[in-house]
Amino acid sequence: MSVVRTKVLGLVDVIMRVPSLFIIDEILKISMGLPNSAPATTSVNTAAPAVSTTAAVETAESVVNATLNATLNAATAAAADFLAGASGTIGGADVEDSFRDDFEFYKLVSLTTLKFLLCLFGCISAACVFMLWTRHLVIVYMYIVSVGLIFLSYWSNVSALSVISDGPSLLEDILSLNMERLLDPGGVALSILPHLLAQWLMGVIFAYIHLGPKYKLIQKALPFSFLMPLFLAMLPLPTVVLKHSPAFAAILPLVLSKIALWSSSFDVVKTILNGYQHARNFASNFGISALIENEWQRLNVPCVLRAFWTIRLSEQLISLLANSDVPLRFAATVQSLLVSGCETLTAVLGMTSIISLICHYIGKAFQLFLLSEDYDEDKSIGTVSAILFYILALQTGLTSLSPDKRFIRLCRNLCLLITALLHFLHNIVAPILMSLSAARNPSRKRHARALMVCAFLLLTPVGLLSVLWTRHSPSTWLLAVTAFSVEVIVKVLVSLATYTLFLLDARRQTFWEKLDDYVYYIRAFGNSVEFCFGIFLFFNGAWILIFESATIPVGGAIRALMMCIHAYFNIWCEARAGWGVFMKRRTAVHKISSLPEATPLQLRSFDDVCAICYQEMTSAKITRCKHYFHGVCLRKWLYVQDRCPLCHEIIMNQDGKNGDCNGEQPNEDENEQNVNHMANSNSAPASLGSANSTQNAQTDTSSSATTSTSSASSNAISVNNSSSSSTSSNSNHSRNHVLSVSGFRIPNPSSVTASSSSSSAVSSPVPSSASGAASTETAAVTAAAISEIIRQHQLQQQPQQQPRSSVDRDFLDELE
């Protein structure tokens, strides 16, 4: 029950805010009282319905103009008489014409200024009422209804007195019990009975809702005050008394309303100041964007706009049905309704809210069809579509066009919106395709649904372009639609090509080293095409701004602003990011190519898997620290840092040349400096016992396990390596605290931990608990493996080996 009550109260709150939008809409119809230079609304090629629409608009405008002009009639007439007399006194025809021209000019300026100020005041008042809290809005409507009841009562009394004055006296019929005339269907008694009931009801309602002082005697007298003219009409009184009785009957309600208005005027100012203070404090604490979002939700703006536009369109349709003498044609009626539904800025806002709702449900339908549980994207579809449609309406000056041109421009804007919607739908299906291919999802239903959506995204722009190019000649608008449509096709093809490559890789039994290159080339092609289309659309918009938007100053300014935003985000930022990715990849490829390639004999002797992807190695690159990795895996690692994934030795020198790739050990000075550094530290070298060596081994194992992943995960992550490579952290790894043991560098646990944290950012991470368990279980095995590596390294370096220090011997003894 509480849910239903909440929904009902929410609906009431929405309906109470709609009249403010209608007031603003009517003011905008007359262009804020300013002279309208737009073409007159004559017809929209819809036969009879358009004529009635135009007539209604022109009638409303003429009524408002007449009302505003009537306020200056007395002053203008007096001024005209004065000028005519003055010109006649002077006696010159030229002087008379000059005075007349000046008078007409000043009259026009004064009328226009007064109308504009009145319209501006009306818009500000309506906007303030729209933004009131619900309790204050109820008070406003109570006052408006109470005043409205007074005027309605006055009109009802005047109508009833006109009926009574033409008939016999009701008092005589009642006293003589003339039932024949009292019960006559066309008599005065039955004719006045509805007025009596209406006056009594209005008096009771006014006594209940009025905001004036509610004394007990006054409350009881209010219904009789409303009924007083009808009671006086039954008595044999002079006509003059009966004529003025409705005005006297309205004195008491008007006095109460006047007192309520005067007493609440201070509250109105206080409410406005409190609202301003609240908004200022909220913005200072949470920001302007949070304030706008909070007010947007409090006022429930989308629902209010939808209700406003629906009521406005329904009113227009009823007007067409009532004023049309011939049956309405469906196409002509829809065209007329769409034209009238976007003739003002408030009407365009209402249409935007409807389009946002439609796009929202379209995105939600595609999400359900794709069996996706994430509904964030379809919400953004509705929001972005609404913003895009309103910006297009402002750019093209939709409200200032004639009906014929307005309908054409509206259709063109909808075509552009459809192409944008296709882009949004591609953003939904592309991640799903990648997840299905990389995860080896066996569900054929999900694969089929995703491929069906891709087919729809390929066929829809092709069909749209074929229809548009066959029915329209080339223009800037058509070129823009074509660019957006072709861009959708290219993006879908790129997604399908990447999806196909991952599916082929899933069916392979061996590691596919070229997969990363193929994915990079395909995505680079798609990004290059999008970048070229972005440049083309920028020049296309510049042409429109210079040669086609001269008559739309506001639209031209908005188009110039959007072009600047487009040039920065879609051209400059994309070009900078793409060039950065290209240079990082080029540097990584150059580094990999400078490393020696492992021979088949070395691979058979190594007889192990790649420590990054855990896949068998048919080819490998050898680092300067004698570790073997796949070339593509090591290249992806180099996107982030230049240290070995296992021992964290620097793979390449700072100058980019291959260093000690032949196993040449570091010089004696470097070893001596490292040993001295460890000897001078707070802890003795002997403390690097079994616990310290085990910690090093565990840390290296954890780092290797964290930075490694399966072949499918590694291939899937390679899709985003071009973007993640910008987070390279070579400078974040310290080169200090390194112990050199016979040419083999063992890092300090702190540096290993730092390197592990940075390497885990680019690889598919495993759970920390699993990594810790594996590190604990294999600690002894890892220590033995490190000892074996050191022993093999010593055998290789035997001719060049220097006598080991006591620190080195103690450390090796502990490792063994």
Side-chain angles (χ1 to χ4, degrees), residues 260-289:
L261 180 62
W262 177 255
S263 61
S264 61
S265 59
F266 299 100
D267 295 334
V268 171
V269 177
K270 185 178 178 180
T271 301
I272 295 175
L273 294 178
N274 290 337
Y276 171 75
Q277 191 68 26
H278 169 75
R280 183 178 178 180
N281 294 336
F282 195 96
S284 62
N285 293 330
F286 303 101
I288 298 178
S289 59

Side-chain angles (χ1 to χ4, degrees), residues 179-213:
M179 304 302 299
E180 182 178 357
R181 284 199 299 181
L182 290 175
L183 300 178
D184 185 12
V188 176
L190 295 181
S191 299
I192 203 176
L193 185 60
H195 291 277
L196 287 170
L197 296 177
Q199 291 293 336
W200 176 262
L201 183 62
M202 286 187 287
V204 172
I205 295 175
F206 183 86
Y208 180 76
I209 67 171
H210 80 89
L211 302 176

